[in-house]
Amino acid sequence: MSSLCIGAVALFFLGMGLYGLAAPSALVRPFGIELTLPEARAEVRAVYGGFGVAVGALLAWAALGDPGDLRSGVVLTVAVSLAGMAFGRLVARAVERPSASFPSWFYFWAESLGAALLIACV
């Protein structure tokens, strides 16, 4: 069961990462961000694209590999990272008061669920 949960979060990261590599402007458009410069698109490709693919691949390895200390470390690290992202969205919600529920709350719940799933798998 834990491999299935880890694999589900891996697919989320892989999907986001591939989308970020292929269509960086479309990925950030729901946040009202326009990427008008090649450097801006390169940054989104690196952070959302390349990082997402790398984390997804690492989680896929963890889902398929031996259950051991390294797997636990990988899963816990990504879980804490997701929880930190969700916390950042709560801070932004308190400070900035975004007017729309999407995309902020959608990603808050996706990150919170991903963190909870991974913590349950450690």
Side-chain angles (χ1 to χ4, degrees):
M1 179 63 166
S2 67
S3 291
L4 184 62
C5 293
I6 296 168
V9 178
L11 286 175
F12 175 79
F13 271 100
L14 286 169
M16 180 193 67
L18 292 172
Y19 189 44
L21 289 172
S25 294
L27 180 69
V28 298
R29 190 172 298 124
F31 295 96
I33 300 170
E34 292 188 30
L35 304 178
T36 58
L37 299 173
E39 294 82 3
R41 290 185 294 278
E43 183 66 12
V44 171
R45 280 190 171 101
V47 175
Y48 289 89
F51 183 76
V53 169
V55 170
L58 190 59
L59 284 173
W61 171 84
L64 300 172
D66 285 333
D69 291 340
L70 188 56
R71 174 184 168 156
S72 295
V74 164
V75 171
L76 183 60
T77 299
V78 176
V80 170
S81 298
L82 284 168
M85 292 164 67
F87 175 73
R89 292 187 195 282
L90 286 177
V91 171
R93 188 74 176 172
V95 173
E96 301 288 339
R97 306 259 182 202
S99 59
S101 294
F102 182 84
S104 295
W105 280 121
F106 171 80
Y107 284 103
F108 167 80
W109 288 113
E111 292 154 359
S112 297
L113 176 61
L117 282 173
L118 292 178
I119 292 207
C121 294
V122 174

